[in-house]
């Protein structure tokens, strides 16, 4: 397992520890400190993937998160992750990676014939080539394209690893751990301010560890080490390595992802794979550095063509020679550094091509390296297929010649990494002196320093970082503790890329966006066809899309469009970016709470008992409610539900009503307040009484219903529907605080305080009598229908007893403090046993409320008024209430509106369906003939047939009429008889028994 | 976005529930033209680019309704007042 | 007559499992049982009367902000403008106060989270800044833990936090704290 391209010495790798890994099934060896990319290059592997559209062979272009080419599938099985940048993936023992987007193998890819078909795949091919016939799109074109063009494969199994979200607060957030960021963190941290330093790399230092530089008389990498050690000892400083700050949000909030375990084969027990950080920072220092950019020349995507800065990173940080015979091609002074580093590493320098005129800095470097020096020339073309074998160089006079090489180090200049400055709408500014975009507006509280601000010199980056860090801490009230940056070995390096942006390609494709296979020709085509704005260019050619979002491509694409259209770059436009800066796993955004723990689960007090009974549960909002309690021998829910309903109607049943929202209302003006929010009047209701209440929205539509009980002169107890408990509470607080601020009224949610059981049926009084302590009168005289009393049960437990019925039977609601809820359901069952009691669930409750015509969520559906519900008579004429004025407007008061009525199938054996629409008999099934819809249906044991509730135009005037209930979705078409919306005990005798 | 609740301190957006324009005043239901006034009150909204006084509830905190002045262009939060104090001061309410 | 009813916690083992890491415990989780809790709201125009009554009965000055004051077994925790949560570790009749008082002894479950990793554990659920420079003993806050509404206060510098949540959310909150604490040396038992 030799590493032929590993240099004999140097680099920040642990050469004492070999790490075995596989790529496309072959085993290689690297070291701790390697990325997958550096380890592959050390092993002489330059062909890493195939391109998106043309399946062109691709290698490693960069040494960072901007990598567009070297995307691999990492890991296998459920942990397989596509589109991982080999330049970021940290090597670990046993790492398994494979190339993607190739068939059948990386070296022999059949679909590389796409290149021959490239006229088909030019920009806009989606829009043009497959326009007609459209019916072939789904069956032919799309599958073909998806097979041919694409990136990696997602894992097909659920992600087995945990994720975590956390929040951190700090005075100063420093984004980027290069020279400027380290200086900022030290300067801020020494004041005692709370500082977070985040860097996406696993090692701090940025370019300090990628270059051979000196700081304060020692190697820059050593200085970075010492800086990190000091930061680790400052108690209020947190250093987050492997952490990408992805977005800037309002109010000084930043999102970041820490790759906690991505550098391990799998996470340690209980450790997350990744951790999402929500960072709240008073000040931020953006020290994100700069990204090198390409020059467009023929074959510039050939493996072995690499950014010059990346070449230096592989040489210096990883001790890897990405090639042995190099051509350096640049339009800035970075070329000198590249030449010197390659020479120092023992690589042969074939030629140095500087696109500019004469450059003194380069003379010395080239002479030392013995390289052919070409000023004012260009690399016109790189060739070699799967790895570069040579390139064609054009000199200043237009003469051209070929040289053999296995590495072309290219630098088209540097773009400040300004993405985070634009997330809140800051508009970058083009600076001619940098030939790049620099930050324009920044998010409030953010300072940009170093290369990200266009200050490319090491000394100026350190100074600006130190100053910004100190100022940010001062702004937060911290002072003292100083940091004087070390002296840097600054040369007068000229790093702006002054063009050319491209070389007229004689042969071969010149790529602008490597990941999307967008070439110079595509940009030209877009310009010819009128897609000249940068936004149109992006949509038409896909330039700047996909996982790298054009980090290396956008400025080049823009410059080319400017050149083609004869405009300046700023006049051509700019591409703003949105979060995230780099792709983020959905798992990290989801965090720890997923699947069953996505939301809280609320368990009513009888839950454990109900589980013991074998209840089947149904989710209602956050609640788990018992839907029905099957018994041995019962075969389906309907059979069980019918038995439960019949038991309640003939004997007695018990239901856990604890999930209803409960609100304690107190204060001298409690009654007046309730009069404002309900359509009916509660201020005059006697103490010890309860009544049904309906509240409206201000637009006149019904909002929620429930019961209101008066416990004392200034004390009421209100229930809401289970689903609307929280929104009703919010509405009531709105009314209390904003609409009626002078009222003395106080609201307290007591939903969870009370366990409440509905005991319903002809024998319910017997059950209550058995539970009530001595001396409590449960007779009709002692507690009449709609009465409320406090009492004690079971030997001293305080309780509230309400004579209320939702089922239509004589019924009581018995409430005790929730801690006794479990014991009380067991006591009720024991007390009811002699009377044949059974528990009933939400299904039986629903059947019985439909049989009684009580409205529920399906009827209070956000479209219905009190009058629609048949409750118009409840509205007090003597007072105003929320929604009263608008409920009386023309449209809502229209007597032709659909009104709540009941329905039975004419053929009593037929089943009804909720959602069916009513049309007159003999009329066509059209929207014009639509007269309303069915809201709730149930099989009624009492009626021996299905019954339904629904809204029918002028329904109350049409009792006895027959209409069609049409359900086109399920092919339902049933003739139904319009009946009064009460199917059991229409006189209401039973509840008063 | 972070909103300074006068009672609780500065909290993240996710603790707050938005309602809307805080300059709207519930009309007098007994006044002539009440129906038209209520129509405007319920349905008509301006959409200003700039400062907007709006109602938020600190729903995951102290339950206070707040009148928040926000710049709709930048989400910069200006003054935050307790809605009940604002309402009481202007003498609104249906009494 | 029926048998006396037995009180039960909302935290049964199968919905709020115990967990204990080997080695040093970074964070300890317990339920605080048998508290008397009540929401207390000052009646309009009678605010001063309530302040006097609390001072007379418990020797406490009601906090005007999100803070907790305690004396002996009784504490009052700010719960919003003019509102408090009264807490007592002994049976206490708060309903005699001149205020709108609602019993919450069963409406809330109180969890106690303490230890050197308590802050880090809670940071995965609660977005508040619990750093000692901004939140210390006697401070209180209402917020949410992930999506669960909580009312919490700091008791001591251990640090120890008490977290009141609606009873029916307590089991989920328990599981979420256990999940976050397991990587941080958790010791979680519903009762000591
Ligand atoms: Zn608040």
């Amino acid at each position: 397992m030799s590493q032929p391209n590993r240099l004999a010495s140097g680099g920040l790798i642990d050469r004492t520890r070999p790490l075995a890994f596989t790529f496309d099934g072959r085993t290689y060896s690297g070291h701790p400190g390697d990325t997958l990319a550096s380890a592959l290059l050390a092993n002489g592997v330059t062909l890493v993937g195939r391109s998106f559209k043309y399946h062109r062979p691709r290698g490693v272009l960069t040494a960072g998160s901007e990598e567009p080419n070297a995307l691999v599938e990492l890991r296998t099985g459920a942990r397989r992750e596509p589109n991982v940048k080999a330049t970021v993936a940290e090597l670990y023992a046993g790492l398994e990676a494979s190339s993607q987007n190739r068939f059948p193998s990386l070296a022999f890819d059949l679909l590389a014939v796409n290149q021959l078909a490239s006229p088909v795949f030019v920009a806009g091919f989606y829009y043009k080539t497959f326009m007609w016939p459209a019916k072939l799109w789904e069956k032919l074109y799309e599958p073909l394209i998806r097979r041919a063009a694409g990136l990696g494969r997602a894992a097909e199994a659920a992600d087995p690893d945990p994720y975590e979200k956390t929040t951190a607060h700090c005075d100063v957030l420093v984004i980027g751990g290069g020279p400027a960021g380290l200086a900022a963190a030290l300067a801020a941290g020494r004041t005692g301010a709370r500082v977070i330093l985040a860097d996406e790399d696993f090692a701090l230092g940025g370019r300090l560890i990628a270059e051979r530089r000196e700081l304060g008389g020692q190697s820059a990498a050593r200085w970075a080490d010492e800086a990190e050690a000091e930061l680790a000892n400052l108690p209020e400083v947190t250093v987050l390595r492997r952490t990408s700050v992805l977005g800037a949000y309002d109010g000084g909030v930043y999102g970041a992802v820490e790759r906690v375990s991505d550098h391990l084969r799998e996470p340690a027990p209980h450790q997350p794979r990744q951790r999402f950080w929500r960072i709240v920072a008073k000040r931020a220092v953006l020290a994100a550095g700069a990204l090198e950019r390409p020059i467009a020349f023929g074959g510039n995507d050939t493996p072995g063509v690499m950014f010059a800065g990346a070449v230096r990173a592989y040489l210096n940080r990883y001790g890897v020679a990405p090639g042995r015979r190099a051509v350096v091609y640049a339009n800035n002074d970075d070329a000198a550094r590249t030449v010197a580093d390659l020479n120092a590493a023992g690589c042969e320098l074939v030629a140095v091509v500087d696109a500019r005129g004469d450059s003194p800095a380069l003379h010395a470097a080239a002479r030392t390296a013995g390289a052919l020096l070409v000023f004012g020339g260009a690399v016109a073309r790189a060739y070699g297929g799967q790895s570069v074998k040579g390139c064609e160089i054009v000199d200043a006079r237009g003469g051209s010649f070929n040289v053999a090489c296995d590495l072309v180090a290219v630098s088209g200049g540097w773009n400040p990494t300004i993405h985070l400055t634009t997330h809140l709408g800051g508009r970058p500014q083009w600076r001619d002196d940098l030939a790049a975009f620099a930050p324009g507006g920044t998010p409030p509280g953010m300072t940009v320093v170093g290369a990200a601000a266009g200050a490319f010199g090491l000394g100026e980056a350190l100074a600006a970082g130190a100053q910004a860090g100190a100022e940010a801490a001062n702004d937060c009230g911290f002072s003292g503790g100083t940091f004087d940056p070390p002296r840097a070995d600054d040369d007068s390096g000229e790093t702006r890329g002054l063009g050319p942006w491209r070389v007229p390609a004689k042969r071969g494709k010149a790529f602008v966006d490597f990941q999307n296979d967008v070439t110079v020709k595509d940009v030209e085509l877009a310009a010819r066809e009128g897609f000249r704005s940068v936004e149109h260019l992006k949509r038409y050619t896909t330039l700047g899309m996909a996982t790298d979002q054009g980090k290396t491509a956008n400025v080049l694409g823009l410059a080319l469009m400017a050149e083609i259209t004869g405009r300046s770059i700023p006049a051509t436009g700019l591409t703003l970016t949105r979060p995230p800066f780099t792709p983020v796993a959905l798992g990290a955004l989801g965090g720890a709470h997923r699947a069953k723990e996505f939301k809280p689960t609320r368990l009513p007090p009888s839950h454990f008992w109900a589980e013991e009974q074998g209840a089947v549960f149904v989710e209602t909002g956050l609640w788990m409610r018992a839907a029905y309690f099957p018994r041995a021998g019962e075969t389906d829910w309907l059979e069980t539900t019918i038995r439960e309903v019949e038991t309640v109607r003939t004997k007695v049943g018990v239901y856990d009503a604890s999930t209803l929202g409960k609100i304690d209302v107190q204060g001298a003006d409690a009654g007046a307040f309730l009069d404002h929010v309900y359509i009916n009047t509660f201020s005059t209701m006697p103490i010890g009484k309860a009544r049904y209440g309906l509240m409206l929205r201000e637009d006149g539509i019904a909002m929620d219903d429930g019961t209101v009980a008066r416990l004392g002169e200034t004390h009421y107890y209100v229930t809401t529907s289970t689903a609307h408990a929280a929104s009703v509470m919010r509405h009531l607080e709105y009314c209390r605080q904003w609409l009626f601020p002078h009222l003395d009224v106080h609201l307290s949610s007591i939903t969870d305080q009370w366990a409440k059981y509905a005991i319903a049926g002809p024998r319910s009084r017997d059950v209550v009598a058995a539970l009530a302590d001595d001396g409590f009168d449960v007779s009709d005289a002692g507690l009449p229908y709609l009465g409320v009393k406090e009492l004690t049960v079971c030997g001293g437990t305080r309780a509230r007893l309400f004579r209320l019925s939702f089922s239509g039977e004589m019924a009581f609601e018995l409430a005790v403090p929730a801690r006794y809820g479990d014991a009380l359901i067991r006591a009720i069952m024991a007390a009811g046993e002699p009377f044949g009691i059974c528990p009933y669930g939400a299904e039986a409750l629903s059947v019985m409320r439909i049989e009684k015509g009580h409205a529920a969520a399906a009827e209070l559906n956000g479209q219905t008024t009190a009058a629609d519900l048949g409750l118009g008579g409840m509205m007090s004429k003597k007072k105003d209430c929320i929604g009263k004025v608008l409920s009386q407007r023309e449209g809502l008061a229209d007597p032709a509106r659909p009104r709540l009525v009941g329905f039975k199938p004419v053929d009593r054996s037929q089943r009804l369906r909720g959602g069916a629409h009513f049309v007159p008999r003999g009329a066509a099934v059209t929207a014009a003939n639509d007269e309303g819809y069915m809201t709730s249906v149930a099989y009624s044991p009492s009626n021996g047939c299905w019954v339904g509730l629904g809204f029918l135009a002028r329904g109350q005037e049409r009792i006895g009429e027959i209409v069609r209930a049409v359900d086109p979705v399920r092919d339902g078409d049933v003739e139904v008889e319009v009946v009064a919306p009460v199917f059991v005990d229409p006189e209401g005798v039973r509840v008063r028994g | 976005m972070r909103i300074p609740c006068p009672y609780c301190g500065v909290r993240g957006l996710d603790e707050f529930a938005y309602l809307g324009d805080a300059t709207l005043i519930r009309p007098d239901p007994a006044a002539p033209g009440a129906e038209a006034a209520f129509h405007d009150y319920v349905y008509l909204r301006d959409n200003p680019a700039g400062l907007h006084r709006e109602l938020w509830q600190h729903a995951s905190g102290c339950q206070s309704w707040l009148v928040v002045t926000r710049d709709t262009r930048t989400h910069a939060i200006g003054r935050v007042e307790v809605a009940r104090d604002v309402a009481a001061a202007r003498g609104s309410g249906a009494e | 007559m029926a048998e006396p009813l037995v009180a039960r916690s909302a935290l049964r083992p199968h919905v709020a499992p115990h967990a204990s890491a080997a080695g040093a415990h970074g964070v300890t989780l317990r339920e605080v049982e048998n508290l008397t809790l009540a929401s207390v709201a000052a009646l309009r125009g009678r605010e001063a009367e309530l302040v006097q009554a609390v001072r007379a009965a418990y020797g406490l000055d009601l906090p005007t902000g999100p803070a907790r004051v305690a004396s002996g077994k009784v504490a009052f925790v700010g719960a919003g403008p003019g509102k408090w949560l009264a807490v007592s570790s002994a049976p206490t009749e708060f309903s005699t106060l001149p205020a709108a008082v609602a019993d919450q002894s069963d409406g809330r479950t109180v969890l106690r989270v303490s230890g050197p990793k308590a802050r880090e554990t809670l940071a995965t659920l609660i977005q508040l800044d619990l750093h000692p420079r901004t939140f210390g003993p006697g401070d209180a806050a209402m917020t949410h833990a992930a999506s669960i509404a909580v009312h919490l206060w700091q008791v001591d510098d251990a640090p120890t936090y008490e977290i009141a949540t609606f009873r029916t959310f307590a089991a989920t909150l328990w599981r979420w704290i256990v999940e976050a604490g397991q990587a941080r040396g958790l010791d979680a038992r519903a009762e000591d």
Side-chain angles (χ1 to χ4, degrees), chain C residues 57-75:
Chain C
Y58 308 111
L60 290 171
D61 285 322
L62 282 176
T64 53
R68 172 183 184 261
V69 296
S71 173
K73 293 176 183 301
V74 174

Side-chain angles (χ1 to χ4, degrees), chain B residues 5-9 11 15-16 58 61-64 66, chain C residues 80-81 142:
Chain B
C5 170
Y7 185 85
C8 300
R11 300 294 179 83
E15 294 198 2
F16 296 86
H58 192 192
C62 63
Q63 311 293 311
S64 293
L66 306 171
Chain C
M142 285 158 290

Side-chain angles (χ1 to χ4, degrees), chain A residues 1 54 82 93 176 231 244 285 310 393 434 463 553 642 714 767:
Chain A
M1 295 200 295
Y54 301 130
L231 291 171
S244 306
V285 177
I393 294 172
L434 300 175
I642 290 170
T714 61
V767 178

Side-chain angles (χ1 to χ4, degrees), chain A residues 661-664 716-718 748-754 800, chain C residues 39 102-104 107-108 166:
Chain A
K662 311 180 199 79
I663 301 169
D664 184 85
Y716 291 80
Y717 165 89
V718 166
S748 188
S749 170
I750 51 169
T751 303
D752 288 27
Q753 167 69 21
W754 295 93
R800 288 174 179 173
Chain C
S39 50
D103 187 8
Q104 298 286 5
R108 307 282 195 280
F166 289 107

Side-chain angles (χ1 to χ4, degrees), chain A residues 164-167 169 171 192-194 236 270-271 275 278 478 592-593 597-603 608 611 622-623 664 666-667 733 741-744 746 748-750 752-753 770-771 773 793-795 797-798 816-820 822-824 826-827, chain C residues 1-10 12 14-15 34-35 39 41-44 81 83 99-108 120 123-131 133-134 146-148 166-169 171-172 175-176 179-180 182-184:
Chain A
E164 185 171 275
K165 270 197 217 181
T166 194
T167 301
H169 297 256
D171 296 306
R194 295 163 66 191
E236 297 299 343
H270 304 303
Q271 288 290 345
R275 179 179 290 126
R278 182 190 291 101
F478 295 89
H593 304 141
E597 298 290 356
F598 179 63
K599 293 183 293 186
T601 302
R602 302 178 75 180
L603 303 176
F608 305 104
E611 272 185 336
L622 301 177
W623 291 97
D664 184 85
Q666 294 187 49
E733 282 289 357
H742 300 292
L743 298 182
D744 178 38
H746 307 275
S748 188
S749 170
I750 51 169
D752 288 27
Q753 167 69 21
L771 296 164
D773 288 344
V793 297
C794 302
T797 298
R798 69 196 174 85
V816 295
R819 73 185 66 185
Y820 301 111
D822 179 272
L824 182 61
R826 297 170 199 274
Chain C
M1 195 180 67
E3 292 287 304
L5 302 178
V6 177
R8 289 204 173 90
S9 160
R12 307 296 178 79
H14 72 290
V15 292
N34 299 312
L35 294 176
S39 50
L43 298 170
R44 199 163 185 80
K83 296 188 291 182
V101 179
D103 187 8
Q104 298 286 5
S105 303
D106 296 69
R108 307 282 195 280
E120 187 185 308
T124 68
L125 296 163
I126 290 171
Q127 296 179 35
L128 293 182
D129 188 1
L130 296 179
H131 189 279
R133 284 181 188 168
T134 62
S147 54
I148 299 174
F166 289 107
R167 177 186 173 98
T168 56
F169 288 91
T172 302
R175 290 195 301 276
W176 290 359
E179 177 165 26
Q182 282 197 319
R184 299 173 171 95

Side-chain angles (χ1 to χ4, degrees), chain A residues 52 547 604 762 769 836 854:
Chain A
F52 174 65
T547 72
H854 289 308

Side-chain angles (χ1 to χ4, degrees), chain A residues 160-226:
Chain A
D161 294 327
Y163 293 81
E164 185 171 275
K165 270 197 217 181
T166 194
T167 301
H169 297 256
C170 63
D171 296 306
V172 183
L173 168 66
V174 180
I175 303 159
L182 286 172
L186 285 168
R190 284 183 184 178
T191 67
R194 295 163 66 191
V195 176
I196 294 174
L197 170 65
D199 193 290
E200 62 181 358
D201 205 330
F202 56 88
L204 291 187
R207 292 307 299 179
L208 294 178
I209 56 174
E211 309 280 6
R212 294 184 305 141
R213 302 294 295 266
E214 283 202 351
L215 274 184
Q218 59 180 337
S219 85
R222 180 79 178 279
W223 182 85
D225 256 0
E226 289 177 2

Side-chain angles (χ1 to χ4, degrees), chain C residues 78-165:
Chain C
K83 296 188 291 182
W84 296 268
L85 182 67
V87 184
S88 174
S89 55
T92 305
E93 195 53 74
F94 290 114
S95 65
T96 55
L97 289 170
V101 179
D103 187 8
Q104 298 286 5
S105 303
D106 296 69
R108 307 282 195 280
T109 293
V110 177
L111 306 181
R112 182 178 289 149
V113 180
S114 63
K117 294 280 191 181
R119 279 191 196 97
E120 187 185 308
T121 302
L122 291 178
T124 68
L125 296 163
I126 290 171
Q127 296 179 35
L128 293 182
D129 188 1
L130 296 179
H131 189 279
R133 284 181 188 168
T134 62
F135 199 94
D139 284 330
M142 285 158 290
T143 183
H144 57 78
S147 54
I148 299 174
V150 295
H151 193 174
L152 81 158
W153 49 87
Q154 188 170 342
V155 176
D156 62 32
D157 279 325
T160 301
Y161 302 92
E162 290 182 350
I163 305 174
T165 187

